[in-house]
Amino acid sequence: VYETSSGYILFGTNNGVWLHDPLTGSYLHSLKDDYPVRLNSIHVADILEDASGNLYIAGNGGVYRISPDGNVRNWRVGYARAMMADTRETIWVGTEDGDLYRHDSAVDEFEEIELPSVNGYQINDLFQSSDYDIFVSTTGGGLLRYQLPQREVLVYSVENGTLPSNI
Protein backbone atom coordinates (compact mmCIF):
# COMPACT_ATOMS: atom_id res chain seq x y z
CA VAL A 1 0.00 0.00 0.00
CA TYR A 2 1.41 3.38 -0.98
CA GLU A 3 0.05 6.95 -0.89
CA THR A 4 1.24 9.14 -3.76
CA SER A 5 2.15 12.81 -3.41
CA SER A 6 -1.15 13.65 -5.13
CA GLY A 7 -3.13 11.74 -2.50
CA TYR A 8 -4.02 8.56 -4.39
CA ILE A 9 -3.71 5.27 -2.56
CA LEU A 10 -2.07 2.47 -4.57
CA PHE A 11 -2.54 -1.19 -3.69
CA GLY A 12 -0.12 -3.71 -5.13
CA THR A 13 -1.70 -7.13 -5.60
CA ASN A 14 -0.87 -10.45 -7.22
CA ASN A 15 -2.80 -9.16 -10.24
CA GLY A 16 -1.47 -5.65 -10.86
CA VAL A 17 -2.13 -2.31 -9.17
CA TRP A 18 -5.34 -0.84 -7.81
CA LEU A 19 -5.69 2.93 -7.46
CA HIS A 20 -8.06 4.47 -4.90
CA ASP A 21 -9.12 8.12 -5.22
CA PRO A 22 -10.14 9.21 -1.69
CA LEU A 23 -11.95 12.30 -3.04
CA THR A 24 -14.36 10.33 -5.23
CA GLY A 25 -14.22 7.00 -3.40
CA SER A 26 -13.53 5.24 -6.69
CA TYR A 27 -11.20 2.32 -7.36
CA LEU A 28 -9.45 1.65 -10.68
CA HIS A 29 -7.52 -1.48 -11.63
CA SER A 30 -4.35 -1.33 -13.77
CA LEU A 31 -5.76 -3.84 -16.27
CA LYS A 32 -8.91 -1.84 -17.02
CA ASP A 33 -9.16 0.62 -19.92
CA ASP A 34 -10.04 3.59 -17.66
CA TYR A 35 -6.84 3.25 -15.59
CA PRO A 36 -4.32 6.03 -16.43
CA VAL A 37 -1.59 3.52 -17.33
CA ARG A 38 -2.13 -0.03 -18.52
CA LEU A 39 0.25 -2.56 -16.95
CA ASN A 40 0.60 -6.23 -17.66
CA SER A 41 -0.79 -8.58 -15.06
CA ILE A 42 2.11 -8.50 -12.61
CA HIS A 43 2.51 -9.59 -9.03
CA VAL A 44 3.37 -6.31 -7.28
CA ALA A 45 5.88 -6.55 -4.43
CA ASP A 46 6.66 -2.86 -3.76
CA ILE A 47 5.74 0.68 -4.84
CA LEU A 48 7.52 4.01 -4.40
CA GLU A 49 7.48 7.53 -5.80
CA ASP A 50 10.52 9.71 -6.46
CA ALA A 51 10.84 13.48 -6.00
CA SER A 52 9.87 14.04 -9.66
CA GLY A 53 6.54 12.22 -9.25
CA ASN A 54 7.64 9.07 -11.08
CA LEU A 55 6.05 5.90 -9.71
CA TYR A 56 8.18 2.78 -9.49
CA ILE A 57 6.41 -0.59 -9.36
CA ALA A 58 8.45 -3.67 -8.40
CA GLY A 59 7.27 -7.17 -9.18
CA ASN A 60 7.68 -10.32 -11.20
CA GLY A 61 8.08 -8.24 -14.39
CA GLY A 62 11.07 -6.34 -12.99
CA VAL A 63 10.77 -2.61 -12.27
CA TYR A 64 8.28 -0.34 -14.02
CA ARG A 65 8.59 3.44 -13.92
CA ILE A 66 5.46 5.43 -14.70
CA SER A 67 6.18 9.10 -15.35
CA PRO A 68 3.62 11.80 -14.45
CA ASP A 69 2.71 12.09 -18.17
CA GLY A 70 1.94 8.34 -18.33
CA ASN A 71 5.06 7.05 -20.10
CA VAL A 72 6.11 3.60 -18.91
CA ARG A 73 9.65 2.20 -18.78
CA ASN A 74 10.43 -1.38 -17.75
CA TRP A 75 13.75 -2.79 -16.56
CA ARG A 76 13.87 -6.60 -16.50
CA VAL A 77 16.00 -7.19 -13.42
CA GLY A 78 14.28 -10.42 -12.40
CA TYR A 79 11.57 -10.58 -9.76
CA ALA A 80 11.99 -7.24 -7.98
CA ARG A 81 10.86 -7.70 -4.37
CA ALA A 82 12.06 -4.60 -2.51
CA MET A 83 12.84 -0.97 -3.39
CA MET A 84 13.98 2.17 -1.66
CA ALA A 85 15.13 5.68 -2.51
CA ASP A 86 18.24 6.76 -0.64
CA THR A 87 18.99 10.27 0.64
CA ARG A 88 20.25 11.26 -2.82
CA GLU A 89 17.03 9.95 -4.46
CA THR A 90 18.88 7.00 -5.97
CA ILE A 91 16.54 4.04 -6.44
CA TRP A 92 17.75 0.67 -5.12
CA VAL A 93 16.13 -2.67 -5.98
CA GLY A 94 16.51 -6.11 -4.42
CA THR A 95 15.38 -9.27 -6.20
CA GLU A 96 14.10 -12.72 -5.40
CA ASP A 97 17.38 -14.13 -6.75
CA GLY A 98 19.45 -12.12 -4.25
CA ASP A 99 20.60 -9.46 -6.72
CA LEU A 100 20.96 -5.81 -5.72
CA TYR A 101 20.60 -3.01 -8.26
CA ARG A 102 21.20 0.74 -8.13
CA HIS A 103 19.63 3.14 -10.63
CA ASP A 104 22.23 5.21 -12.46
CA SER A 105 20.30 8.34 -13.44
CA ALA A 106 23.07 9.52 -15.80
CA VAL A 107 22.32 6.65 -18.19
CA ASP A 108 18.81 5.77 -16.90
CA GLU A 109 19.74 2.14 -16.28
CA PHE A 110 20.01 -0.15 -13.28
CA GLU A 111 23.51 -1.40 -12.50
CA GLU A 112 24.06 -4.56 -10.51
CA ILE A 113 25.96 -4.27 -7.23
CA GLU A 114 28.38 -7.14 -6.61
CA LEU A 115 27.33 -9.05 -3.49
CA PRO A 116 29.02 -12.02 -1.80
CA SER A 117 28.06 -15.33 -3.34
CA VAL A 118 25.52 -16.81 -0.95
CA ASN A 119 23.50 -19.58 -2.55
CA GLY A 120 19.73 -19.50 -2.49
CA TYR A 121 18.83 -16.26 -0.78
CA GLN A 122 16.31 -13.61 -1.72
CA ILE A 123 16.24 -9.95 -0.77
CA ASN A 124 13.28 -8.98 1.43
CA ASP A 125 13.87 -5.36 2.35
CA LEU A 126 16.26 -2.43 1.92
CA PHE A 127 17.11 0.36 4.36
CA GLN A 128 19.58 3.25 4.47
CA SER A 129 21.16 4.08 7.82
CA SER A 130 22.12 7.53 9.07
CA ASP A 131 25.73 6.80 8.01
CA TYR A 132 24.45 6.23 4.42
CA ASP A 133 25.11 2.48 4.37
CA ILE A 134 22.50 0.30 2.66
CA PHE A 135 21.21 -2.62 4.74
CA VAL A 136 19.82 -5.60 2.83
CA SER A 137 17.68 -8.13 4.69
CA THR A 138 17.48 -11.57 3.13
CA THR A 139 15.94 -14.99 3.47
CA GLY A 140 18.85 -17.40 3.75
CA GLY A 141 21.74 -14.93 3.46
CA GLY A 142 21.48 -12.99 6.74
CA LEU A 143 21.84 -9.21 6.82
CA LEU A 144 24.13 -7.50 4.31
CA ARG A 145 25.60 -4.04 4.87
CA TYR A 146 26.74 -2.27 1.72
CA GLN A 147 29.16 0.47 2.72
CA LEU A 148 28.71 3.15 0.08
CA PRO A 149 32.00 5.05 0.25
CA GLN A 150 34.14 1.89 0.29
CA ARG A 151 31.77 -0.18 -1.90
CA GLU A 152 32.33 -3.07 0.49
CA VAL A 153 29.79 -5.58 1.77
CA LEU A 154 29.70 -6.92 5.32
CA VAL A 155 27.67 -10.06 6.01
CA TYR A 156 25.98 -10.76 9.34
CA SER A 157 24.62 -14.32 9.50
CA VAL A 158 24.65 -17.65 11.31
CA GLU A 159 27.85 -18.55 9.47
CA ASN A 160 29.81 -15.82 11.27
CA GLY A 161 27.85 -16.11 14.51
CA THR A 162 26.17 -12.70 14.45
CA LEU A 163 22.56 -12.94 13.22
CA PRO A 164 20.06 -15.50 11.93
CA SER A 165 20.18 -16.18 8.21
CA ASN A 166 16.53 -15.16 7.73
CA ILE A 167 16.07 -11.42 8.34
Short mmCIF file of all heavy atoms in Angstrom, two decimals, residues 96-99 115-123 138-142 144 155 157 159 165-166:
data_model
loop_
_atom_site.label_atom_id
_atom_site.label_comp_id
_atom_site.label_asym_id
_atom_site.label_seq_id
_atom_site.Cartn_x
_atom_site.Cartn_y
_atom_site.Cartn_z
N GLU A 96 14.33 -11.40 -5.96
CA GLU A 96 14.10 -12.72 -5.40
C GLU A 96 15.33 -13.61 -5.55
O GLU A 96 15.54 -14.52 -4.76
CB GLU A 96 12.90 -13.36 -6.13
CG GLU A 96 12.49 -14.69 -5.57
CD GLU A 96 11.21 -15.19 -6.18
OE1 GLU A 96 11.23 -15.55 -7.38
OE2 GLU A 96 10.20 -15.21 -5.47
N ASP A 97 16.16 -13.34 -6.53
CA ASP A 97 17.38 -14.13 -6.75
C ASP A 97 18.58 -13.62 -5.96
O ASP A 97 19.71 -14.08 -6.18
CB ASP A 97 17.74 -14.15 -8.24
CG ASP A 97 16.71 -14.92 -9.06
OD1 ASP A 97 16.10 -15.85 -8.53
OD2 ASP A 97 16.52 -14.55 -10.23
N GLY A 98 18.36 -12.63 -5.08
CA GLY A 98 19.45 -12.12 -4.25
C GLY A 98 20.32 -11.09 -4.94
O GLY A 98 21.43 -10.82 -4.50
N ASP A 99 19.83 -10.49 -6.02
CA ASP A 99 20.60 -9.46 -6.72
C ASP A 99 20.21 -8.08 -6.21
O ASP A 99 19.05 -7.82 -5.91
CB ASP A 99 20.35 -9.53 -8.23
CG ASP A 99 20.81 -10.85 -8.83
OD1 ASP A 99 21.87 -11.35 -8.41
OD2 ASP A 99 20.11 -11.37 -9.71
N LEU A 115 27.54 -8.59 -4.86
CA LEU A 115 27.33 -9.05 -3.49
C LEU A 115 28.07 -10.37 -3.30
O LEU A 115 28.35 -11.08 -4.27
CB LEU A 115 25.84 -9.25 -3.22
CG LEU A 115 24.96 -8.00 -3.24
CD1 LEU A 115 23.50 -8.38 -3.03
CD2 LEU A 115 25.42 -7.00 -2.19
N PRO A 116 28.36 -10.72 -2.04
CA PRO A 116 29.02 -12.02 -1.80
C PRO A 116 28.16 -13.15 -2.34
O PRO A 116 26.93 -13.07 -2.30
CB PRO A 116 29.13 -12.10 -0.28
CG PRO A 116 28.92 -10.73 0.22
CD PRO A 116 28.12 -9.99 -0.81
N SER A 117 28.78 -14.18 -2.81
CA SER A 117 28.06 -15.33 -3.34
C SER A 117 27.50 -16.15 -2.18
O SER A 117 28.24 -16.84 -1.49
CB SER A 117 29.00 -16.18 -4.19
OG SER A 117 28.32 -17.31 -4.65
N VAL A 118 26.21 -16.02 -1.97
CA VAL A 118 25.52 -16.81 -0.95
C VAL A 118 24.40 -17.52 -1.68
O VAL A 118 23.49 -16.88 -2.20
CB VAL A 118 24.96 -15.91 0.18
CG1 VAL A 118 24.26 -16.75 1.22
CG2 VAL A 118 26.06 -15.07 0.80
N ASN A 119 24.46 -18.82 -1.76
CA ASN A 119 23.50 -19.58 -2.55
C ASN A 119 22.09 -19.53 -1.96
O ASN A 119 21.91 -19.67 -0.76
CB ASN A 119 23.94 -21.04 -2.67
CG ASN A 119 25.17 -21.19 -3.52
OD1 ASN A 119 25.40 -20.38 -4.42
ND2 ASN A 119 25.97 -22.20 -3.23
N GLY A 120 21.13 -19.32 -2.83
CA GLY A 120 19.73 -19.50 -2.49
C GLY A 120 19.07 -18.46 -1.62
O GLY A 120 18.10 -18.78 -0.95
N TYR A 121 19.54 -17.24 -1.59
CA TYR A 121 18.83 -16.26 -0.78
C TYR A 121 18.08 -15.27 -1.64
O TYR A 121 18.37 -15.08 -2.81
CB TYR A 121 19.75 -15.55 0.21
CG TYR A 121 20.72 -14.54 -0.39
CD1 TYR A 121 20.33 -13.24 -0.63
CD2 TYR A 121 22.03 -14.89 -0.66
CE1 TYR A 121 21.21 -12.31 -1.15
CE2 TYR A 121 22.92 -13.96 -1.18
CZ TYR A 121 22.50 -12.68 -1.43
OH TYR A 121 23.37 -11.77 -1.94
N GLN A 122 17.05 -14.67 -1.04
CA GLN A 122 16.31 -13.61 -1.72
C GLN A 122 16.34 -12.37 -0.85
O GLN A 122 16.46 -12.45 0.36
CB GLN A 122 14.87 -14.05 -1.99
CG GLN A 122 14.02 -14.18 -0.76
CD GLN A 122 12.63 -14.69 -1.09
OE1 GLN A 122 12.41 -15.34 -2.09
NE2 GLN A 122 11.69 -14.40 -0.22
N ILE A 123 16.23 -11.21 -1.50
CA ILE A 123 16.24 -9.95 -0.77
C ILE A 123 14.81 -9.60 -0.39
O ILE A 123 13.91 -9.61 -1.23
CB ILE A 123 16.90 -8.84 -1.62
CG1 ILE A 123 18.38 -9.17 -1.81
CG2 ILE A 123 16.71 -7.48 -0.96
CD1 ILE A 123 19.13 -8.22 -2.70
N THR A 138 17.65 -10.45 4.05
CA THR A 138 17.48 -11.57 3.13
C THR A 138 16.81 -12.76 3.82
O THR A 138 16.76 -12.83 5.05
CB THR A 138 18.83 -12.05 2.56
OG1 THR A 138 19.53 -12.77 3.57
CG2 THR A 138 19.66 -10.91 2.03
N THR A 139 16.34 -13.67 3.01
CA THR A 139 15.94 -14.99 3.47
C THR A 139 17.06 -15.93 3.05
O THR A 139 17.30 -16.11 1.86
CB THR A 139 14.62 -15.44 2.83
OG1 THR A 139 13.60 -14.51 3.21
CG2 THR A 139 14.22 -16.83 3.27
N GLY A 140 17.79 -16.43 4.03
CA GLY A 140 18.85 -17.40 3.75
C GLY A 140 20.24 -16.83 3.69
O GLY A 140 21.21 -17.58 3.76
N GLY A 141 20.40 -15.52 3.58
CA GLY A 141 21.74 -14.93 3.46
C GLY A 141 22.09 -14.00 4.60
O GLY A 141 23.14 -13.37 4.57
N GLY A 142 21.21 -13.87 5.61
CA GLY A 142 21.48 -12.99 6.74
C GLY A 142 21.23 -11.53 6.37
O GLY A 142 20.41 -11.21 5.50
N LEU A 144 22.97 -8.03 5.03
CA LEU A 144 24.13 -7.50 4.31
C LEU A 144 24.19 -6.00 4.54
O LEU A 144 23.15 -5.32 4.58
CB LEU A 144 24.01 -7.77 2.81
CG LEU A 144 23.71 -9.21 2.39
CD1 LEU A 144 23.58 -9.30 0.87
CD2 LEU A 144 24.77 -10.16 2.88
N VAL A 155 28.74 -9.08 5.87
CA VAL A 155 27.67 -10.06 6.01
C VAL A 155 27.52 -10.43 7.48
O VAL A 155 28.50 -10.75 8.15
CB VAL A 155 27.98 -11.34 5.19
CG1 VAL A 155 26.87 -12.37 5.36
CG2 VAL A 155 28.17 -10.99 3.72
N SER A 157 25.46 -13.13 9.65
CA SER A 157 24.62 -14.32 9.50
C SER A 157 25.04 -15.38 10.51
O SER A 157 25.99 -15.20 11.26
CB SER A 157 24.71 -14.87 8.08
OG SER A 157 25.99 -15.41 7.84
N GLU A 159 26.51 -18.06 9.82
CA GLU A 159 27.85 -18.55 9.47
C GLU A 159 28.96 -17.83 10.24
O GLU A 159 29.97 -18.41 10.56
CB GLU A 159 28.11 -18.43 7.96
CG GLU A 159 27.42 -19.50 7.14
CD GLU A 159 25.91 -19.25 6.97
OE1 GLU A 159 25.45 -18.10 7.11
OE2 GLU A 159 25.21 -20.23 6.73
N SER A 165 20.07 -16.31 9.66
CA SER A 165 20.18 -16.18 8.21
C SER A 165 18.92 -15.62 7.57
O SER A 165 18.96 -15.16 6.44
CB SER A 165 20.52 -17.53 7.59
OG SER A 165 21.83 -17.89 7.98
N ASN A 166 17.79 -15.69 8.26
CA ASN A 166 16.53 -15.16 7.73
C ASN A 166 16.18 -13.86 8.46
O ASN A 166 15.80 -13.87 9.61
CB ASN A 166 15.40 -16.17 7.90
CG ASN A 166 15.65 -17.42 7.10
OD1 ASN A 166 16.26 -17.36 6.03
ND2 ASN A 166 15.20 -18.55 7.59
#
